[in-house]
Amino acid sequence: MQKLGDFKLPHFFNYPPYFTLQPVRETREKQIQLWKELILDYCRTQKIFVIKLEEEFPLFSNSAIERTLSHEAREAFLSDLVAEGRAEWLDKGRRSCLILWHRIQDWADIIVNFVKDNGFEDSVMTVEEIRSGIESRGTSIHTFNHVNELDLDKFPFAKGKLAIFKGTSTDDEGIKFSV
Amino acid sequence: MRRRPGIGGLQTAAAARDQYRVLGGNVAKLRTDLMKEQLTTFRSQLEEFARKHKNDIRKNPSFRSQFHEMCAKVGVDPLASNKGFWAELLGIGDFYYELGVQIVEICLATRLLNGGLIDLQELCKLLRQKRKHDREAVSEDDCLRAISKLKTLGSGFEVISAGKKKLVRSVPTELNKDHNEILELAQSQGYVTVDEVERRLNWTYGRAIDALDTLLDEGLAMIDDGHRDGNRRYWFPCVSSISSFVADS
């Protein structure tokens, strides 16, 4: 089986037609499903959060069979992930996509647990502090690099657990936890 | 018997014919009786054989296949019904029934990838993987028998030949001779181009495109526009081992 570093690639990755967006609906649906699973798996294991459509991304081409996904195909797969709630477009031009290999609810739970485990209730921290805090305690999430790229309103924080303070610049953005 | 002229002669001839007919009938009956007796003897010997070699029949695919052939020669079908002597003795009905169910499961699971057409060897391979805890080995012959039983259930299963390969069809797609020829052509490289079809089969462009479009619509073919020569390739999952990467259902 072909590998990308440590990652084992599925068999379909080596079958040329999968790199062409299929015209027949049933076939295309299956194709999209396989690619979505691959993208999520790869991003999860490699801790990749953002895919930029116009840049080189290891999954988008397979040099062994000399095939590359067209821009249309890339957009089709990622759009489907977005529709499923497993990804978000970071720009209107759809050039950049945030991959939510954890669902938003899962991210929220991770944050809340971090706060509880470390006694940060009732304190105010900046996003930067939270991020480095999580990193320094060895939890392998680099979430917060991108949390502030998201619209924080989307996070189900509003259960009375968290209040978000907006400062004069994004550096001042802080989150108060009342878990 | 000497022919006598006149009515008397005719009557004698008629009587003679009658006697011959009766004799002929008797001989025929004798032969049939003899045959029936031979058949009965043979059948009971076959039953005895089956009893003695029950384990071998269950465990050894080639032995099993030869046993089937013997049965066929005497007009015995161990799979004819799930009840009765054979089924009880060998439990063979259950074996093929189970195989049939597993074959249907595999065909359903791979249908979206290969359009409902799967290489027989590929099917057997997947079947063995599915049954790996089973000590009873499964041969292609077993698969074919299970499939022919499925056929009688009217399930749309069919085994078709395309070139050197046997393909198991599990959808009611009607494949005509043109489609079949393309499947055969595709076996050497796993794909064909319109150009190749036109040249090798001596068809018009229209005829080639028609057949390829149908195969595409039926999910039996996939297009590939990625080659640097810019020619569209039509790939056929059913002639490669692509079905192997199915997620377990």
mmCIF file of all heavy atoms in Angstrom, chain A residues 9 27 29 35 44 58 69 83-84 101-102 108 126 148 150 157 159 170-171:
data_model
loop_
_atom_site.group_PDB
_atom_site.id
_atom_site.type_symbol
_atom_site.label_atom_id
_atom_site.label_comp_id
_atom_site.label_asym_id
_atom_site.label_seq_id
_atom_site.Cartn_x
_atom_site.Cartn_y
_atom_site.Cartn_z
ATOM 1 N N LEU A 9 -2.254 5.147 2.447
ATOM 2 C CA LEU A 9 -3.240 5.628 1.497
ATOM 3 C C LEU A 9 -4.183 4.510 1.066
ATOM 4 O O LEU A 9 -3.754 3.392 0.847
ATOM 5 C CB LEU A 9 -2.533 6.202 0.264
ATOM 6 C CG LEU A 9 -1.782 7.499 0.534
ATOM 7 C CD1 LEU A 9 -0.769 7.762 -0.560
ATOM 8 C CD2 LEU A 9 -2.771 8.672 0.619
ATOM 9 N N THR A 27 -22.050 7.324 -9.214
ATOM 10 C CA THR A 27 -20.601 7.116 -9.185
ATOM 11 C C THR A 27 -19.917 8.297 -8.511
ATOM 12 O O THR A 27 -19.011 8.131 -7.699
ATOM 13 C CB THR A 27 -20.049 6.940 -10.613
ATOM 14 O OG1 THR A 27 -20.899 6.058 -11.340
ATOM 15 C CG2 THR A 27 -18.650 6.369 -10.575
ATOM 16 N N GLU A 29 -21.183 10.364 -6.318
ATOM 17 C CA GLU A 29 -21.467 10.382 -4.882
ATOM 18 C C GLU A 29 -20.526 9.470 -4.127
ATOM 19 O O GLU A 29 -20.016 9.815 -3.060
ATOM 20 C CB GLU A 29 -22.924 9.977 -4.624
ATOM 21 C CG GLU A 29 -23.888 11.132 -4.850
ATOM 22 C CD GLU A 29 -25.349 10.727 -4.830
ATOM 23 O OE1 GLU A 29 -25.648 9.559 -4.502
ATOM 24 O OE2 GLU A 29 -26.185 11.586 -5.141
ATOM 25 N N TRP A 35 -13.321 10.402 -1.049
ATOM 26 C CA TRP A 35 -12.364 11.500 -0.901
ATOM 27 C C TRP A 35 -12.554 12.249 0.411
ATOM 28 O O TRP A 35 -11.589 12.628 1.072
ATOM 29 C CB TRP A 35 -12.479 12.465 -2.088
ATOM 30 C CG TRP A 35 -11.652 12.049 -3.250
ATOM 31 C CD1 TRP A 35 -12.064 11.449 -4.401
ATOM 32 C CD2 TRP A 35 -10.236 12.202 -3.386
ATOM 33 N NE1 TRP A 35 -11.009 11.207 -5.236
ATOM 34 C CE2 TRP A 35 -9.859 11.662 -4.641
ATOM 35 C CE3 TRP A 35 -9.239 12.749 -2.563
ATOM 36 C CZ2 TRP A 35 -8.558 11.651 -5.098
ATOM 37 C CZ3 TRP A 35 -7.918 12.734 -3.017
ATOM 38 C CH2 TRP A 35 -7.592 12.196 -4.273
ATOM 39 N N ARG A 44 -6.655 14.701 10.204
ATOM 40 C CA ARG A 44 -6.658 14.361 11.614
ATOM 41 C C ARG A 44 -5.314 13.805 12.051
ATOM 42 O O ARG A 44 -4.760 14.194 13.055
ATOM 43 C CB ARG A 44 -7.767 13.351 11.935
ATOM 44 C CG ARG A 44 -7.803 12.925 13.400
ATOM 45 C CD ARG A 44 -8.898 11.914 13.741
ATOM 46 N NE ARG A 44 -9.360 11.158 12.594
ATOM 47 C CZ ARG A 44 -10.588 11.233 12.088
ATOM 48 N NH1 ARG A 44 -11.480 12.022 12.643
ATOM 49 N NH2 ARG A 44 -10.933 10.522 11.043
ATOM 50 N N PRO A 58 -0.548 17.318 -0.482
ATOM 51 C CA PRO A 58 -0.150 15.950 -0.835
ATOM 52 C C PRO A 58 -1.274 15.067 -1.371
ATOM 53 O O PRO A 58 -1.055 14.238 -2.235
ATOM 54 C CB PRO A 58 0.376 15.372 0.485
ATOM 55 C CG PRO A 58 0.751 16.536 1.297
ATOM 56 C CD PRO A 58 -0.099 17.677 0.876
ATOM 57 N N LEU A 69 -5.858 16.247 -9.023
ATOM 58 C CA LEU A 69 -7.248 16.687 -8.970
ATOM 59 C C LEU A 69 -7.392 18.082 -9.551
ATOM 60 O O LEU A 69 -6.593 18.966 -9.241
ATOM 61 C CB LEU A 69 -7.729 16.736 -7.507
ATOM 62 C CG LEU A 69 -8.032 15.408 -6.813
ATOM 63 C CD1 LEU A 69 -8.373 15.674 -5.345
ATOM 64 C CD2 LEU A 69 -9.184 14.689 -7.486
ATOM 65 N N ALA A 83 -20.758 21.277 3.629
ATOM 66 C CA ALA A 83 -22.200 21.021 3.741
ATOM 67 C C ALA A 83 -22.501 20.056 4.879
ATOM 68 O O ALA A 83 -23.560 20.123 5.511
ATOM 69 C CB ALA A 83 -22.728 20.460 2.431
ATOM 70 N N GLU A 84 -21.554 19.171 5.134
ATOM 71 C CA GLU A 84 -21.745 18.180 6.181
ATOM 72 C C GLU A 84 -21.364 18.720 7.557
ATOM 73 O O GLU A 84 -21.504 18.024 8.560
ATOM 74 C CB GLU A 84 -20.834 16.985 5.874
ATOM 75 C CG GLU A 84 -21.431 15.639 6.171
ATOM 76 C CD GLU A 84 -20.371 14.561 6.098
ATOM 77 O OE1 GLU A 84 -19.690 14.461 5.060
ATOM 78 O OE2 GLU A 84 -20.213 13.831 7.084
ATOM 79 N N TRP A 101 -11.745 18.304 11.671
ATOM 80 C CA TRP A 101 -11.741 16.864 11.865
ATOM 81 C C TRP A 101 -12.255 16.490 13.247
ATOM 82 O O TRP A 101 -12.605 15.351 13.513
ATOM 83 C CB TRP A 101 -10.376 16.232 11.573
ATOM 84 C CG TRP A 101 -9.169 17.026 11.907
ATOM 85 C CD1 TRP A 101 -8.535 17.888 11.075
ATOM 86 C CD2 TRP A 101 -8.445 17.029 13.118
ATOM 87 N NE1 TRP A 101 -7.444 18.420 11.696
ATOM 88 C CE2 TRP A 101 -7.360 17.902 12.960
ATOM 89 C CE3 TRP A 101 -8.594 16.363 14.340
ATOM 90 C CZ2 TRP A 101 -6.432 18.134 13.973
ATOM 91 C CZ3 TRP A 101 -7.667 16.589 15.346
ATOM 92 C CH2 TRP A 101 -6.602 17.480 15.153
ATOM 93 N N HIS A 102 -12.272 17.490 14.122
ATOM 94 C CA HIS A 102 -13.130 17.345 15.301
ATOM 95 C C HIS A 102 -14.355 18.172 14.981
ATOM 96 O O HIS A 102 -14.247 19.209 14.337
ATOM 97 C CB HIS A 102 -12.470 17.974 16.527
ATOM 98 C CG HIS A 102 -11.564 17.042 17.259
ATOM 99 N ND1 HIS A 102 -11.938 15.785 17.625
ATOM 100 C CD2 HIS A 102 -10.299 17.224 17.704
ATOM 101 C CE1 HIS A 102 -10.933 15.209 18.266
ATOM 102 N NE2 HIS A 102 -9.923 16.062 18.323
ATOM 103 N N ALA A 108 -15.256 22.404 21.472
ATOM 104 C CA ALA A 108 -15.774 23.102 22.652
ATOM 105 C C ALA A 108 -15.551 22.258 23.895
ATOM 106 O O ALA A 108 -15.096 22.749 24.926
ATOM 107 C CB ALA A 108 -17.255 23.422 22.475
ATOM 108 N N THR A 126 -6.469 35.346 27.644
ATOM 109 C CA THR A 126 -6.543 35.695 26.225
ATOM 110 C C THR A 126 -6.473 34.397 25.437
ATOM 111 O O THR A 126 -6.039 33.360 25.941
ATOM 112 C CB THR A 126 -5.357 36.573 25.775
ATOM 113 O OG1 THR A 126 -4.151 35.833 25.955
ATOM 114 C CG2 THR A 126 -5.309 37.857 26.556
ATOM 115 N N ASN A 148 -9.397 31.465 16.655
ATOM 116 C CA ASN A 148 -9.731 32.868 16.429
ATOM 117 C C ASN A 148 -9.945 33.196 14.963
ATOM 118 O O ASN A 148 -10.321 34.300 14.619
ATOM 119 C CB ASN A 148 -8.718 33.809 17.089
ATOM 120 C CG ASN A 148 -7.309 33.381 16.756
ATOM 121 O OD1 ASN A 148 -7.100 32.426 16.020
ATOM 122 N ND2 ASN A 148 -6.349 34.073 17.328
ATOM 123 N N LEU A 150 -12.053 31.464 13.418
ATOM 124 C CA LEU A 150 -13.470 31.131 13.298
ATOM 125 C C LEU A 150 -14.321 32.226 13.901
ATOM 126 O O LEU A 150 -13.896 32.967 14.754
ATOM 127 C CB LEU A 150 -13.766 29.868 14.101
ATOM 128 C CG LEU A 150 -13.551 28.522 13.465
ATOM 129 C CD1 LEU A 150 -13.909 27.459 14.471
ATOM 130 C CD2 LEU A 150 -14.413 28.376 12.228
ATOM 131 N N PHE A 157 -20.436 28.139 23.251
ATOM 132 C CA PHE A 157 -19.948 28.598 24.535
ATOM 133 C C PHE A 157 -21.064 29.196 25.368
ATOM 134 O O PHE A 157 -20.999 29.266 26.577
ATOM 135 C CB PHE A 157 -18.874 29.683 24.356
ATOM 136 C CG PHE A 157 -17.581 29.139 23.830
ATOM 137 C CD1 PHE A 157 -16.747 29.928 23.082
ATOM 138 C CD2 PHE A 157 -17.215 27.834 24.083
ATOM 139 C CE1 PHE A 157 -15.546 29.421 22.614
ATOM 140 C CE2 PHE A 157 -16.031 27.333 23.615
ATOM 141 C CZ PHE A 157 -15.185 28.137 22.874
ATOM 142 N N LYS A 159 -23.385 28.712 26.943
ATOM 143 C CA LYS A 159 -24.222 27.971 27.879
ATOM 144 C C LYS A 159 -23.980 28.533 29.260
ATOM 145 O O LYS A 159 -24.080 27.857 30.255
ATOM 146 C CB LYS A 159 -23.820 26.478 27.830
ATOM 147 C CG LYS A 159 -24.352 25.759 26.620
ATOM 148 C CD LYS A 159 -24.110 24.269 26.721
ATOM 149 C CE LYS A 159 -24.468 23.607 25.398
ATOM 150 N NZ LYS A 159 -24.037 22.211 25.362
ATOM 151 N N THR A 170 -7.369 42.099 18.037
ATOM 152 C CA THR A 170 -7.587 40.668 18.274
ATOM 153 C C THR A 170 -6.668 40.137 19.369
ATOM 154 O O THR A 170 -6.969 39.143 20.018
ATOM 155 C CB THR A 170 -7.358 39.821 17.004
ATOM 156 O OG1 THR A 170 -6.200 40.315 16.339
ATOM 157 C CG2 THR A 170 -8.567 39.893 16.091
ATOM 158 N N ASP A 171 -5.568 40.817 19.580
ATOM 159 C CA ASP A 171 -4.671 40.356 20.643
ATOM 160 C C ASP A 171 -5.319 40.459 22.010
ATOM 161 O O ASP A 171 -4.951 39.754 22.939
ATOM 162 C CB ASP A 171 -3.381 41.195 20.647
ATOM 163 C CG ASP A 171 -2.474 40.805 19.498
ATOM 164 O OD1 ASP A 171 -2.789 39.775 18.845
ATOM 165 O OD2 ASP A 171 -1.490 41.500 19.251
#
